[in-house]
Amino acid sequence: MDDAFFLSVINELPSSQVLDLGCGTGRLTRAAAADGHHVVGIDPDADALDAAQRKPDTENIRWVHGTSTRIPDGVLFDTAIMTSHMAQAISDEAAWAQTLEDLHRALVPGGRLAFDSRDPAARVCERWTPANTRDTYTLPDGTIVETWIDGTVPRDGLALLTEHRLRRGHEEETATLVLAFRPEAQLRQDLRAAGFTFEQVLGGWAGEVVGEGQGELIVIAGKRS
């Protein structure tokens, strides 16, 4: 549902210039390009970008390794997106402010920014336990992989999320993220400070109000014409 929502925002303008910040392996980036848009996908994960570039149908996509500081000069975007709670992964407040300033500068007058962030009031971290998140799947070679997540309750707006991955015959692999849980009021303030106008915030992918839906803060902001 999140991909469909972001694509609907992008597709309000045909054949537009789109910036996908935190594009990962390019699933939504490629979908936007397939709909006729010219897309720049940026991500700090070199392995993810490498996987994205090996996929087919990427003629209308420019891939960039880095953060918002690597947004290409000389091009202005109609729409910028940050999906999959990318905004929360920018946990340092100075880096978050810089990201918003970079995005604002990269948009055309009247351009829009859309992103999602988890609503702190939904208390999703309390469900990040091994008992609630444990899962298994089988790799093509028959190896069984067990995964689970555990997290901490946010303190001073920050929470730790640790992803565990265990394959038979291998040591357990872990990856820990620091995530920022910013309330709606802070998001509004941060966007205004970067020069954005705050257009809309939703609580779910079907257009629910904040406090209903899936515990999201789905934000659309604009750059003044």
Side-chain angles (χ1 to χ4, degrees), residues 118 125 128 133 148-152 159-164 175-179 181:
R118 299 177 184 89
C125 293
W128 286 345
T133 61
W148 66 95
I149 294 173
D150 56 51
T152 64
L160 294 180
L161 171 65
T162 303
E163 300 175 335
H164 301 261
T176 299
L177 298 173
V178 180
L179 300 178
F181 280 78

Side-chain angles (χ1 to χ4, degrees), residues 27-210:
R27 184 185 69 252
L28 188 55
T29 324
R30 292 174 63 243
D35 282 348
H37 304 280
H38 297 274
V39 191
V40 173
I42 302 179
D43 201 279
D45 187 332
D47 291 336
L49 275 184
D50 183 59
Q53 293 178 78
R54 291 198 304 267
K55 295 178 179 179
D57 304 321
T58 60
E59 293 82 4
N60 287 340
I61 302 174
R62 177 179 177 183
W63 305 103
V64 178
H65 178 224
T67 64
S68 65
T69 61
R70 296 293 309 280
I71 295 173
D73 294 328
V75 58
L76 292 176
F77 298 91
D78 300 291
T79 307
I81 59 172
M82 291 187 289
T83 67
S84 302
H85 306 113
M86 162 70 182
Q88 291 185 258
I90 308 172
S91 56
D92 178 79
E93 291 303 316
W96 172 239
Q98 182 66 58
T99 298
L100 292 179
E101 291 173 9
D102 292 339
L103 288 167
H104 185 269
R105 185 167 49 250
L107 288 172
V108 299
R112 304 167 86 194
L113 167 65
F115 66 90
D116 55 352
S117 187
R118 299 177 184 89
D119 186 354
R123 304 166 67 100
V124 66
C125 293
E126 296 179 7
R127 301 192 293 275
W128 286 345
T129 67
N132 287 333
T133 61
R134 196 174 300 274
D135 194 12
T136 60
Y137 61 92
T138 304
L139 297 176
D141 64 2
T143 301
I144 296 175
V145 180
E146 184 178 8
T147 64
W148 66 95
I149 294 173
D150 56 51
T152 64
V153 174
R155 178 174 298 178
D156 297 326
L158 299 176
L160 294 180
L161 171 65
T162 303
E163 300 175 335
H164 301 261
R165 189 170 183 264
L166 180 62
R167 294 183 292 169
R168 289 182 180 175
H170 293 76
E171 292 185 2
E172 179 183 324
E173 302 170 359
T174 62
T176 299
L177 298 173
V178 180
L179 300 178
F181 280 78
R182 301 179 179 97
E184 179 184 347
Q186 182 181 347
L187 292 176
R188 288 179 178 271
Q189 177 179 326
D190 294 345
L191 286 161
R192 283 195 298 268
F196 284 98
T197 59
F198 200 98
E199 293 186 8
Q200 188 178 38
V201 59
L202 302 171
W205 301 110
E208 298 93 337
V209 300
V210 174

Side-chain angles (χ1 to χ4, degrees), residues 5-14 16 18 28 32 37 79 81:
F5 177 88
F6 286 112
L7 280 174
S8 71
V9 174
I10 291 169
N11 286 332
E12 290 182 19
L13 287 176
S16 64
V18 176
L28 188 55
H37 304 280
T79 307
I81 59 172

